[in-house]
Every structure is written in structure tokens, then in C-alpha cells.
Amino acid sequence: FISQQISGKTGILILKQNLQKTKIFSFDVKYYENDIYLFFCWSKASVYYIKTEKKKTEEVLNSFKYFIESDTKKIIFNHKSLSKVLYAYGIKINNFFDIKIGAYLISPGSRNDFKTILKFNLDVDSNDNNLSLDSIYYYEELFSKIYNDLKHKNLIDLLEKIENPLSYVLMKMEFEGIKLDTDLIKEIEKIFEFEINKLETKIYSISQIEFNIASPKQLGEVLFEKLVLESNPKKTKTGQYSTSEDTLSKLAKKHEIIRLILEWRSLQKLLTTYVYSLPKQINPKSNKIHTEFNQTLTTTGRLSSTNPNLQNIPVRTDRGKLIRKSFIPKDKNYTLLCADYSQVELRIIAFLSGDSNMKNAFINNEDIHRSTAARVFNVNIDDVSQEQRRNAKIVNFGIIYGVSAFGLSNQTDLTRTESKEIINNYFKSYPKLKEYMSDQISFARDNGYVETILKRKRYLPEINSRNAILRSSAERNAINTPVQGSAADIIKLSMIKIDHEFEKRSLSSKLLLQVHDELVFDVHLTEIDIVKKIITDNMESVIQMDVPLKVDIGFGDNWLVAH
């Protein structure tokens, strides 16, 4: 192919006249060193590009605003990052096809960098450089191949109604960012460091030796040679003693030192992952943290977040809660609002399985864990103890992830026999659930995939494997993906509807974060009532199911209080 640099008024005018005539064109914008490049290509003609200085970005982009916003189909790669560049100048890409999103829907879980997508779909090796000259040349051919695959797999609706509009919403969330209370983070740092020192003193006192707790080798030697906590300790492939989280958790009941080491580790992780690193991730211009949401990463359709990962802050521990407390509204005119889907996955299981006992518990607005405990332990709902409710909750949430009697006894004070009995009673209480789980596995065996309520697919090539470990993992995925994936689709759809409503009413309030079943907003104090109504109405009516969706809403001057 030939690449042609366009310059001068006449060249640009001819380029625009040609764009006017095309029904579809490929488009990209790249910054390289101190210049900005605009790329255009259509009908496998030449790649045309305009190169200009960065300081003229606004002028150049605005001169092509009409074409970017027109109804002509644009083929692009990575809408989220491209639209972020344009959004800063008030330009929105309309009618686009994102090769990256399309490729992800066809093969979730595969690598989705441009080179891999090109090789997989067209069997072409790319010399892709920073300027994507050769990559844009293949956009149209990739579009043709991927669009036909999406059509064949019945995924066009998912692309056009969820993933495309969601990409725009995520871009705005990343652009907005969230504010961090740096004074509080400094306080937390002091508290955690003090607690770590205290734990280290206790650990050294019990072991009667000072060693590097972070070194698996040294830790293994202290636990299994000096203290002899196990007669036949587990070893790694390299012959070292295993000190993995899993290994140590199983020994936690045996010796106090293990509990202290696990506590030390979790504190260290919070310190390094969040307390030390969050302040460094504040953007000096906006004075906020701008996490990145990965839309094309997970096999289930869930979003993930990086730089920093705000979805993994442990909310069940007091220390994790402290970190949430350090996220605050942008200024004194705003408050943080959290909207959380209540037990959305269980509601989806009730709907998908059609189990009337489970459905009725939700329809009658019962506490599902209490209701389950009453059935499983065969007691009156008013007589359920806290411990029974807690155990029922573990089974409720664990059942679709294949919780076994062994797993349940590990997470509770129940024996393995008691755990087995509870799981048996659980399936007797919800008979349709067992049937649904078997049906899902059969469907996956016959079709090689499972799908969510909105037809998102996950392929399970190992479902008929002779290897029992691979096969049972695929069977668990066949059961939990439709549930987890449907929950992901539902919240994505809610985000799109809420954002649309915010834009329509020109509200100052903004959606900032999505953490699985929870949305976090910066809400202007004058808009609290209207925003609460928009959020509740849209989240609860987003999809038609015969099991009601319920949203819990809270707000406050930090993320912890709002949640």
C-alpha cells in the first residue's frame, strides 16, 4: 500500500471531498513525539495522513469535526482512548465500529492487541509501529470479517446496544476521575506502619529469631524447620516449602504465628498497593485519580480496573474500609452517592432457574439468607440464628461457584458431614436450581459455549475434555458465567441509561466508578433528589425479569460513608 501525507489547503480540501463521497472510512489519531497525526483510509486505497504540530491539535481536529460526527460509518481501533482525545475538544465519534470491541465479543479472553487480532482474523503479520500506518490499511478488511462473525454468532445487538455506548460512558468516567484525601492517606500510612511493626515484634518473639517475613524461603524454614508446624509440609516445584496464602490459611487454626503472618501480609499488600501508590497516581492537572476501565479483558463480560485497581479494595476489613474513606467528592458542593444492586446474582439465578421458592423469597422481599437458612436448617424463619444465616449466605453465594462440602467446612465452623448435609438440603429446598445447573452443563457440552440473558457468549472448549480438572473447571464456568455475565450486562445497561438521562438534563452530577454491582457518583447537592430518582428508576427497571431488581442507595462525604 502507499501512504500519502496530505498538506496545504488544496490537499486537505480534496481529502474532505473524497470523505464526503465515501459510505465508510477508517480513522485514527495518534500523538508521536511533538506532532499529531490524523489517518484516513477507505476502499483499500492509500493511507492518507495529516501531520501537524501538537499545539495545532484543536484547529486540525475541529476542521474534521463534521466528518467525525457525521453518520458515515467510521472504523476505528480502541474507541475509548480515541474518543478521550476528541472529547477534550468537544468532538464525539458517531456511528463507529470498534475492531477491538468486536474481536473481544467473538473471542472473550483472547489477547486483543492489534497484532494478535490481525493475525487471528486475516492471518497477516503486522509491522505495526507507533504511527499505525500499516494497521489502518487493514481496518476495513477486519471490519468485514469481524462484523460477519458477530452477525453469524448473533452478537450485533450486544455490540450496538451495550458495548459501543458503554465505551463512551467509560471514557467520560475515566476523564472525570475521583478525588483523594491525601491528608487522610498520610494518616493511614502511619497507622499501618505502626501496626506492621507491632506484628513483626510479635512474630519475632514467637519464632525467637528475626528474619525476612516477605521471603518465602526464610519464612518456610522458620515455620517448618525451626517451629515444625507440620510433620510433612507441602513443597513447591523448586523444593522450597510452600508458604502460599492457601497453604497458610489451612494452618491458621493450628498456630497463632500463622494468623499474625497472614495479617502482616494483608497489611503489607494494602500499604504497597494503595497507601504508598495512590498519591503518586494523582494527575497534577486535575488533582484527581483517573483509573482505567478495561472493557475487553474478562471472559464473563465484567469490567476490570487498573492504574489503580479500585475494584479490589477489600471492603470487609476495617483497614480496607479506611482506604475507601480516603475517596471524597470533588468539592464542598458535591457529595458521593453509591448505588448498589442488592444480591443481583442470586436474583438472576432465581430468574434463570425459575425456582419458585427462591423467586417468591425475592418477590415477598424476604431476607434471602434468612429464608434459605430456615429451609436448610428446617427452622421457623423467625428462629434463624446469626450463625445459621451466615452459613446459608456462604452456600447461597458459593453454590454457583461449585462450593463443596470440603470448601464449606473450610469457610465455617461446620464439619464436612454437616456441610454435605446442608448442601443436600439446599438443593432439596431449591429443586429447580439443581436442574438448571445440569441443563447449563448439557447446553455447554452440546454447543461449546454458554450465554447470558442478553446473549453474551463464553466459549468453553474444555467442557468435553478427558482431563477431569479441566472439565470440572469448564463445568463450573458453564454454571456461573450466565449469572455473573448477566449481572455485568445489567449494570452496563444501567450505566448507559443513567448517563443518557444525565446528559439529556444537563446535570452537573457525574458517574465516577463501577465496582461490579456498585456505581459511585459525584452528585451536586442541588441535584440529590433528581439523581436518586434517575438512578433507582433506571437500575431497577433496566431489564424485564419476573424477579424484582433492588437498589440500595447511600451518600456521604467519602466513599465509605456513602457505601
Side-chain angles (χ1 to χ4, degrees), residues 325-389:
K325 195 178 178 182
S326 62
F327 290 92
I328 54 172
K330 66 166 134 190
D331 61 43
K332 62 181 191 324
N333 299 313
Y334 283 79
T335 184
L336 287 188
L337 182 148
C338 285
D340 203 338
Y341 269 125
S342 162
Q343 297 153 343
V344 65
E345 291 189 355
L346 291 176
R347 291 168 190 270
I348 289 166
I349 299 170
F351 167 69
L352 289 174
S353 68
D355 189 278
S356 54
N357 287 343
M358 201 179 247
K359 275 168 42 173
N360 288 335
F362 285 120
I363 290 164
N364 300 331
N365 206 12
E366 287 172 20
D367 171 345
I368 188 67
H369 304 313
R370 189 169 283 281
S371 171
T372 300
R375 290 175 183 281
V376 166
F377 295 106
N378 198 19
V379 294
N380 190 298
I381 198 159
D382 299 325
D383 298 332
V384 170
S385 71
Q386 279 305 100
E387 192 184 356
Q388 285 173 326
R389 184 186 181 277

Side-chain angles (χ1 to χ4, degrees), residues 6 34 75 83 103 153 159 165 249 289 312 314 326-327 329 331 354 422 456 466 468-469 483 522 544 556:
I6 307 292
N34 287 317
I75 307 166
S83 65
K153 292 182 172 176
L159 174 81
S249 297
I289 281 178
N312 267 14
S326 62
F327 290 92
D331 61 43
I422 285 177
R456 180 185 303 277
R466 287 182 177 172
I469 294 171
V483 178
D522 225 346
Q544 287 312 302

Side-chain angles (χ1 to χ4, degrees), residues 234-479:
K234 195 177 167 187
K235 289 193 173 181
T236 63
K237 284 177 187 167
T238 57
Q240 240 176 244
Y241 294 112
S242 167
T243 58
S244 69
E245 200 79 5
D246 201 32
T247 306
L248 293 191
S249 297
K250 285 171 187 164
L251 294 172
K253 288 177 186 173
K254 286 193 177 177
H255 203 291
E256 193 201 358
I257 195 168
I258 303 282
R259 194 179 52 73
L260 296 171
I261 287 161
L262 289 172
E263 200 179 333
W264 181 90
R265 274 187 184 173
S266 74
L267 255 178
Q268 275 290 22
K269 194 177 174 188
L270 287 176
L271 254 184
T272 49
T273 314
Y274 297 108
V275 182
Y276 291 153
S277 68
L278 284 174
K280 293 176 191 156
Q281 288 170 304
I282 294 172
N283 179 307
K285 278 187 186 165
S286 66
N287 208 17
K288 289 178 180 175
I289 281 178
H290 301 264
T291 185
E292 286 169 45
F293 289 98
N294 304 310
Q295 186 180 358
T296 55
L297 201 67
T298 68
T299 44
T300 56
R302 281 178 116 176
L303 297 172
S304 70
S305 99
T306 44
N307 304 324
N309 179 351
L310 297 181
Q311 297 189 326
N312 267 14
I313 301 170
V315 284
R316 288 191 180 89
T317 68
D318 289 341
R319 289 160 183 154
K321 285 176 181 170
L322 264 182
I323 291 166
R324 275 204 167 194
K325 195 178 178 182
S326 62
F327 290 92
I328 54 172
K330 66 166 134 190
D331 61 43
K332 62 181 191 324
N333 299 313
Y334 283 79
T335 184
L336 287 188
L337 182 148
C338 285
D340 203 338
Y341 269 125
S342 162
Q343 297 153 343
V344 65
E345 291 189 355
L346 291 176
R347 291 168 190 270
I348 289 166
I349 299 170
F351 167 69
L352 289 174
S353 68
D355 189 278
S356 54
N357 287 343
M358 201 179 247
K359 275 168 42 173
N360 288 335
F362 285 120
I363 290 164
N364 300 331
N365 206 12
E366 287 172 20
D367 171 345
I368 188 67
H369 304 313
R370 189 169 283 281
S371 171
T372 300
R375 290 175 183 281
V376 166
F377 295 106
N378 198 19
V379 294
N380 190 298
I381 198 159
D382 299 325
D383 298 332
V384 170
S385 71
Q386 279 305 100
E387 192 184 356
Q388 285 173 326
R389 184 186 181 277
R390 196 164 49 246
N391 291 339
K393 184 176 180 177
I394 292 169
V395 185
N396 266 334
F397 285 124
I399 215 84
I400 57 154
Y401 299 103
V403 74
S404 61
F406 175 70
L408 183 59
S409 70
N410 263 359
Q411 293 179 62
T412 60
D413 294 329
L414 298 163
T415 64
R416 216 178 288 187
T417 313
E418 289 168 332
S419 298
K420 192 170 189 297
E421 194 184 338
I422 285 177
I423 291 172
N424 289 341
N425 286 347
Y426 187 88
F427 284 123
K428 279 181 199 153
S429 308
Y430 302 126
K432 275 288 190 67
L433 197 57
K434 187 86 172 166
E435 205 179 298
Y436 165 74
M437 290 161 85
S438 304
D439 290 349
Q440 280 303 113
I441 293 168
S442 303
F443 181 90
R445 284 209 183 110
D446 295 343
N447 299 281
Y449 68 86
V450 286
E451 59 186 15
T452 66
I453 297 171
L454 296 172
K455 306 293 179 219
R456 180 185 303 277
K457 290 173 175 55
R458 178 178 184 178
Y459 295 90
L460 299 165
E462 270 95 31
I463 193 78
N464 294 311
S465 170
R466 287 182 177 172
N467 180 321
I469 294 171
L470 292 177
R471 190 176 62 249
S472 61
S473 167
E475 287 173 355
R476 280 196 301 276
N477 289 333
I479 294 163

Side-chain angles (χ1 to χ4, degrees), residues 156-171:
I156 298 289
D157 253 16
L158 187 67
L159 174 81
E160 292 178 348
K161 290 182 180 159
I162 296 190
E163 297 300 338
N164 281 353
L166 178 78
S167 181
Y168 175 66
V169 177
L170 293 176
M171 176 276 296

Side-chain angles (χ1 to χ4, degrees), residues 164-174 495-496 499-500 511:
N164 281 353
L166 178 78
S167 181
Y168 175 66
V169 177
L170 293 176
M171 176 276 296
K172 290 200 294 179
M173 290 160 70
E174 290 181 3
M495 291 160 75
I496 295 161
D499 177 75
H500 176 73
L511 172 55

Side-chain angles (χ1 to χ4, degrees), residues 122-280:
L122 303 180
D123 201 21
V124 171
D125 290 305
S126 160
N127 309 311
D128 191 23
N129 59 19
N130 284 333
L131 294 184
S132 69
L133 277 171
D134 81 331
S135 54
I136 195 161
Y137 180 70
Y138 292 106
Y139 279 18
E140 213 162 312
E141 218 178 325
L142 280 170
F143 160 70
S144 198
K145 163 83 168 60
I146 292 169
Y147 189 84
N148 282 333
D149 286 352
L150 288 166
K151 219 168 170 177
H152 175 67
K153 292 182 172 176
N154 194 20
L155 291 165
I156 298 289
D157 253 16
L158 187 67
L159 174 81
E160 292 178 348
K161 290 182 180 159
I162 296 190
E163 297 300 338
N164 281 353
L166 178 78
S167 181
Y168 175 66
V169 177
L170 293 176
M171 176 276 296
K172 290 200 294 179
M173 290 160 70
E174 290 181 3
F175 195 90
E176 183 65 23
I178 188 165
K179 203 161 179 210
L180 188 76
D181 183 339
T182 45
D183 293 337
L184 181 60
I185 279 282
K186 283 190 191 114
E187 293 273 308
I188 295 170
E189 187 178 318
K190 282 180 201 155
I191 295 167
F192 284 8
E193 283 175 347
F194 175 73
E195 287 186 353
I196 278 178
N197 286 334
K198 238 169 53 178
L199 285 168
E200 284 173 359
T201 308
K202 280 186 191 170
I203 291 165
Y204 298 148
S205 140
I206 294 171
S207 61
Q208 295 183 336
I209 185 172
E210 286 205 9
F211 64 99
N212 180 1
I213 303 169
S215 155
K217 186 175 184 298
Q218 290 184 34
L219 178 62
E221 285 165 1
V222 169
L223 296 181
F224 304 117
E225 285 179 11
K226 191 170 188 307
L227 299 174
V228 200
L229 294 187
E230 277 275 81
S231 52
N232 187 17
K234 195 177 167 187
K235 289 193 173 181
T236 63
K237 284 177 187 167
T238 57
Q240 240 176 244
Y241 294 112
S242 167
T243 58
S244 69
E245 200 79 5
D246 201 32
T247 306
L248 293 191
S249 297
K250 285 171 187 164
L251 294 172
K253 288 177 186 173
K254 286 193 177 177
H255 203 291
E256 193 201 358
I257 195 168
I258 303 282
R259 194 179 52 73
L260 296 171
I261 287 161
L262 289 172
E263 200 179 333
W264 181 90
R265 274 187 184 173
S266 74
L267 255 178
Q268 275 290 22
K269 194 177 174 188
L270 287 176
L271 254 184
T272 49
T273 314
Y274 297 108
V275 182
Y276 291 153
S277 68
L278 284 174
K280 293 176 191 156

